[in-house]
């Protein structure tokens, strides 16, 4: 005869098994969160953005802008470290934008992926000047 102690075998359903999160998932979350911050013009260096825009025009290369451009991550089992390269709009406080990006990225990754973000390093690689034409405008004019 078995004794019923009220303990279910295997524990709670949420604790049965293992969840792994790929680096690209965290890169996408961080990229989207960084782009949502006012004052961020783009992610990635000028060269990376140029190569990305050429890649977007190639058939079969996928559609839309790459949300992982300018984002690199190191993901462990419970922690993540994130590096971002951003371009800011002229006239904004770079330190304020960087702080806002850091807060938004940490909140998004911790909420969506459940990972502790140990650091978000931000490199500001350029400033978008008001008189500079958009890459998008240049492409439309050339077509």
């Amino acid at each position: 005869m078995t004794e019923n102690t009220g303990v279910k075998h295997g524990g709670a359903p949420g604790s049965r098994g293992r969840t792994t999160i790929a680096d690209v998932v965290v890169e996408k979350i961080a990229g989207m969160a960084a782009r949502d911050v006012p004052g961020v013009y783009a992610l990635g260096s000028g060269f990376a953005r140029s190569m990305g825009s050429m890649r977007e025009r190639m058939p079969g290369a996928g559609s839309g802008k790459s949300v992982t451009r300018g984002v690199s991550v190191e993901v462990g089992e419970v922690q993540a470290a994130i590096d971002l390269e951003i371009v800011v709009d002229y006239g904004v406080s770079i330190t304020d934008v960087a702080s806002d990006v850091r807060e938004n990225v940490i909140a998004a990754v911790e909420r969506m992926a459940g990972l502790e973000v140990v650091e978000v390093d931000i490199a500001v690689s350029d400033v978008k000047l008001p008189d500079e034409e958009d890459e998008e405008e240049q492409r439309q004019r050339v077509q």
Side-chain angles (χ1 to χ4, degrees):
M1 186 174 239
T2 60
E3 183 179 345
N4 186 356
T5 60
V7 176
K8 303 218 186 268
H9 295 285
S15 65
R16 296 181 200 171
R18 181 176 167 191
T19 303
T20 57
I21 300 172
D23 290 7
V24 71
V25 173
V26 177
E27 287 174 351
K28 288 181 178 183
I29 294 168
M32 291 299 294
R35 282 178 176 78
D36 284 345
V37 174
V40 174
Y41 173 73
L43 268 65
S45 66
F47 178 74
R49 291 193 321 270
S50 296
M51 293 304 292
S53 68
M54 286 192 312
R55 189 172 38 249
E56 288 166 12
R57 286 182 259 160
M58 295 173 64
S63 62
K65 295 181 179 179
S66 172
V67 294
T68 61
R69 188 180 311 136
V71 182
S72 64
V73 301
E74 292 180 34
V75 179
E77 287 189 31
V78 295
Q79 295 180 326
I82 301 165
D83 294 324
L84 300 169
E85 185 174 2
I86 66 172
V87 177
V88 298
D89 290 318
Y90 177 79
V92 300
S93 167
I94 294 173
T95 55
D96 289 348
V97 170
S99 178
D100 292 347
V101 166
R102 194 171 281 112
E103 287 178 25
N104 209 36
V105 167
I106 289 170
V109 170
E110 288 184 348
R111 178 178 49 83
M112 293 178 70
L115 296 168
E116 176 192 3
V117 178
V118 293
E119 68 181 6
V120 177
D121 292 332
I122 299 171
V124 179
S125 62
D126 202 356
V127 173
K128 166 66 171 78
L129 300 176
D131 59 346
E132 290 178 334
E133 291 186 36
D134 264 347
E135 294 172 12
E136 196 68 36
E137 291 173 10
Q138 288 176 349
R139 273 189 261 145
Q140 288 175 356
R141 199 178 306 161
V142 171
Q143 293 177 355

